[in-house]
Amino acid sequence: MTRKEHSPGTDNVLLDLGFEDAAELSAKAALALKLNELIDQRGLSQIETAALTGMTQPKVSQIRRYKLQNISLERLMRALVSLDQHVEIVVEPARRAHAPGITVAA
């Protein structure tokens, strides 16, 4: 039995799995994670969250289950702002240590 050669992984499992939009999916996941943490910390129901964020309850349900394909980055950022969070976008030149792409720290 022989071993298959594997390419080394990156810091982004979605990219390693071959998702073309891995950077955007990672950014959405990070924002959704923070949003879900806030919902849990405040003990909000999906209906209460929908009312506070201006989303529908089904959209909140999608975020709670990390089904983010029909939810924009902008919508996630606006939801965080509606829950008293400061969202900051920083654009800077890519350096050798950091390849061009999208990074979200929540």
Side-chain angles (χ1 to χ4, degrees):
M1 182 183 261
T2 60
R3 288 187 149 213
K4 278 183 143 181
E5 290 296 320
H6 294 284
S7 60
T10 67
D11 289 338
N12 187 332
V13 69
L14 297 170
L15 184 62
D16 293 343
L17 291 172
F19 286 90
E20 290 181 19
D21 56 349
E24 182 179 1
L25 289 172
S26 293
K28 285 182 179 183
L31 294 174
L33 179 65
K34 183 62 178 177
L35 189 55
N36 282 326
E37 286 174 357
L38 291 167
I39 293 167
D40 290 340
Q41 287 172 1
R42 297 177 187 197
L44 298 172
S45 69
Q46 290 184 11
I47 292 171
E48 291 168 328
T49 302
L52 288 170
T53 61
M55 288 190 280
T56 63
Q57 180 275 325
K59 285 286 186 200
V60 173
S61 177
Q62 286 180 324
I63 292 169
R64 296 294 281 164
R65 294 179 287 123
Y66 296 94
K67 296 195 178 234
L68 306 172
Q69 59 271 23
N70 295 321
I71 299 171
S72 69
L73 279 167
E74 180 184 2
R75 186 68 203 108
L76 291 166
M77 288 186 281
R78 283 190 280 135
L80 286 164
V81 169
S82 69
L83 294 177
D84 301 321
Q85 301 300 297
H86 173 80
V87 177
E88 184 173 323
I89 299 170
V90 177
V91 178
E92 57 188 23
R95 290 170 267 162
R96 287 184 178 210
H98 301 287
I102 298 170
T103 302
V104 174

